[in-house]
Amino acid sequence: MTVIDAGQYDQAALLEVLANVNEPEIEVVHVNGQRYLGCGWKNRKKLILRGTAGNNLGAFAEGPHIVLYGNGQEGVGNTMSEGLIVVHGRVGDIAGYGMRGGALYIRDNAGYRLGIHMKAYLQKQPVIVVGGRAGAFTGEYMAGGTIIILGLNDDNRPLVGPWCGTGMYSGAIYLRGEVPYEHLAPNTTCQVLQADELEPIMDYLQRYAEYFDYDIEKILSQPFTRITTVNKRLYKHMYTGFVS
Amino acid sequence: MLRREGEIRIPSGCAIAGIINRQGERFDGSAIIASIANMHQRSNGLGGGFAAYGIYQEYKDYFALHIYYDDETARQLTENYLNQNFRIVVNEMLPLRPLRRIVDAPLIWRYFVTPREEKLMVSHLSEDDFIFKAVMWINDCVRGAFVASSGKNMGAFKGVGYPEDIGEFFRLEEYHAYLWTAHGRFPTNTPGWWGGAHPFTLLNWSVVHNGEISSYSTNRRFLEMYGYRCSLQTDTEVIAYTFDFLMRKQQLTLEETLDVIAAPFWTTIQKEAQARLRRQYGALLLNGPFSIIVATDHGLVAVNDRIKLRPLVAATRGSYLYVASEESAIRVVAPVVEKVWTPGGGEPVVGLLKDKEGLIAMPDQQSRSA
């Protein structure tokens, strides 16, 4: 495994050095704000990062396994289509923006606009799991995939901010524990899940527990609510001229 | 061959940073330079600047004017005016360090002044309003001159260049302040010139801003009715004047001021007092995406627009409070912090000097948040 000290390079040089490492596993230490790490990577490499990763970590990624020991900033997993990003910390705004495949696991909180414009097609089924809570506009314009918010940090603030699921027309958002109904968009509908209905997300929950060494029983100790959408074509009246 | 629009992409977006020692202990400018330099990519070299509080202990009872001139004529006109209205105790060129990366710098002068007593008496103005009028007059009426800062025991240092170069140019490592703010600029809608660099200041207020104020014209028209002249060609100017108007002239609290500039939506407004403020000062609602740091001699407040369209991170370590556009800009000067968090939209981060805490009630954290 190659170990690289991010402090030794400027932004452009670091990306170039990383792109030219021909080993399956790379560790980067002293990361502090460098952008575009793992961005656009089309490979199966494992990238281990220590520090605070800069904007667009793993953006457009197609396959790499990125593990960040520290916090992410804006745009983590932006438009990624394959691979796995595991953040041992929190992330900023627009994490998983337009995500179309792969998985994003965040140990703590996520910022505003988590998973907006997320989409899915056939075997491309993106998933975001957040251990803490997320800000406003979570899943806005969501068109597919899965967002799971666990609220494990117990800080008495709502699991998601206002306008959750606004303009959403497909996919599902799962909230663990108390649902802030006043923050859900009017086109959404909620269903509290029975124990045997957790099957679609069980694998994701177990992975969260495994990645962050968390007790799965604790995760399962609260009920889950699934948020899906009522109306598939929300804005048809705006572009068809008449309501059919 | 000339490059055409769209062929070059500069993925920037302005950077802001602030550091306060709440015990009032002063530290030199190298930390704030390191912090803003970490976000180099957010600027494009067309503006950088700093505000520093507590730097002029020796002259703390005098107003410190930093004035930029295009030429000697502008300086003479301005100094004639200053001489008539103020007792000038120090009149000097600001010490600078010439750098190859900083070009076309104006003439930059510093004055420590106090209003002439007889002039002040016949004006029927407070000292602050006397200075306010002078600043507006110079900015508006003297061609080729503008006042970069006009407070007591504080100063703004700004210009065209990357912020770390501007910091070196102004020799900020030689100044000691308990509160620093900084800005790296990526001008979008307005020209990148020395007057348009942040911070924007008036008296002890200073503002650094990432974003744009779509309501600029509305805000400006309102402020102009009260004698404010917006002459620096950039939207951020109205934020500085809005704080001066609401908090100094109208005597609103910080909480009320935040309820005006980042008012909750009519659909989510909860308190009648908030609704009343929105009706009364609706023209001072700052609309558009922003993250700002507003500072005075008492401390700083950092806040986002209501739906948080710009990044903002805060952290604490001992007596220090750090705020910045990116967490990395904090970690570069404070690798280990006690607490790090991202405030929600409209949710202020307030850092006041310990002995000034009683002066401003701590604002409600969530009532504006979306």
Side-chain angles (χ1 to χ4, degrees), chain B residues 55-286:
Chain B
I55 50 175
Y56 296 137
Q57 299 289 340
E58 206 180 327
Y59 296 103
K60 63 179 170 16
D61 299 324
Y62 295 89
F63 291 94
L65 305 179
H66 290 184
I67 307 185
Y68 290 30
Y69 301 114
D70 281 354
D71 48 43
E72 282 298 326
T73 318
R75 181 166 77 91
Q76 272 157 23
L77 270 169
T78 308
E79 288 189 355
N80 284 345
Y81 172 81
L82 290 177
N83 270 316
Q84 281 167 25
N85 292 288
F86 295 92
R87 199 158 61 77
I88 303 174
V89 293
V90 177
N91 173 352
E92 62 189 358
M93 284 187 90
L94 205 62
L96 300 172
R97 179 184 289 121
L99 290 181
R100 229 182 311 164
R101 294 184 297 277
I102 301 294
V103 294
D104 299 328
L107 307 166
I108 303 175
W109 284 71
R110 173 165 64 197
Y111 309 87
F112 292 100
V113 305
T114 189
R116 285 189 183 279
E117 265 179 41
E118 68 279 12
K119 293 278 182 182
L120 187 61
M121 211 185 306
V122 297
S123 73
H124 299 288
L125 295 172
S126 68
E127 266 202 340
D128 283 349
D129 276 325
F130 194 85
I131 291 283
F132 162 79
K133 281 196 92 164
V135 171
M136 292 298 144
W137 187 85
I138 295 167
N139 286 354
D140 201 31
C141 303
V142 183
R143 200 191 166 97
F146 75 88
V147 181
S149 64
S150 54
K152 282 182 176 172
N153 202 5
M154 60 83 70
F157 306 87
K158 62 183 193 174
V160 174
Y162 280 101
E164 57 271 30
D165 295 337
I166 291 290
E168 205 181 328
F169 177 74
F170 281 108
R171 311 166 74 121
L172 293 187
E173 74 284 357
E174 295 170 8
Y175 294 84
H176 291 79
Y178 55 81
L179 165 56
W180 292 89
T181 64
H183 186 262
R185 189 165 187 227
F186 174 60
T188 45
N189 303 333
T190 53
W193 69 296
W194 285 69
H198 303 215
F200 285 86
T201 70
L202 179 62
L203 293 163
N204 282 353
W205 301 106
S206 70
V207 177
V208 289
H209 164 222
N210 167 21
E212 58 183 73
I213 304 300
S214 327
S215 56
Y216 170 72
S217 296
T218 308
N219 307 143
R220 175 181 174 165
R221 274 195 296 276
F222 182 91
L223 289 164
E224 279 176 349
M225 293 194 296
Y226 295 89
Y228 293 86
R229 294 279 166 267
C230 298
S231 46
L232 299 176
Q233 303 180 55
T234 300
D235 52 1
T236 309
E237 192 180 10
V238 298
I239 307 177
Y241 300 163
T242 297
F243 271 81
D244 182 62
F245 174 75
L246 292 175
M247 293 195 71
R248 185 175 66 85
K249 292 197 172 170
Q250 302 287 298
Q251 301 274 308
L252 261 55
T253 64
L254 180 60
E255 168 97 61
E256 291 165 335
T257 303
L258 293 169
D259 280 334
V260 171
I261 65 156
F265 290 93
W266 283 119
T267 49
T268 57
I269 224 158
Q270 287 163 4
K271 300 175 191 158
E272 177 49 30
Q274 285 180 321
R276 201 163 51 234
L277 283 166
R278 190 161 179 193
R279 282 192 292 271
Q280 189 172 359
Y281 299 112
L284 289 179
L285 172 71
L286 300 178

Side-chain angles (χ1 to χ4, degrees), chain A residues 1 5 10 13 15 32 37-39 43 47 72 106 111 145-146 166 172 195 211 217 219 226 236 239-240:
Chain A
M1 186 177 70
D5 181 352
D10 70 18
L15 295 181
N32 195 36
L37 298 170
C39 178
N43 55 47
L47 178 63
I106 298 150
T146 306
T166 301
Y211 294 146
E217 293 307 321
I219 294 176
R226 180 170 56 212
K236 61 184 174 187
Y239 50 81
T240 56

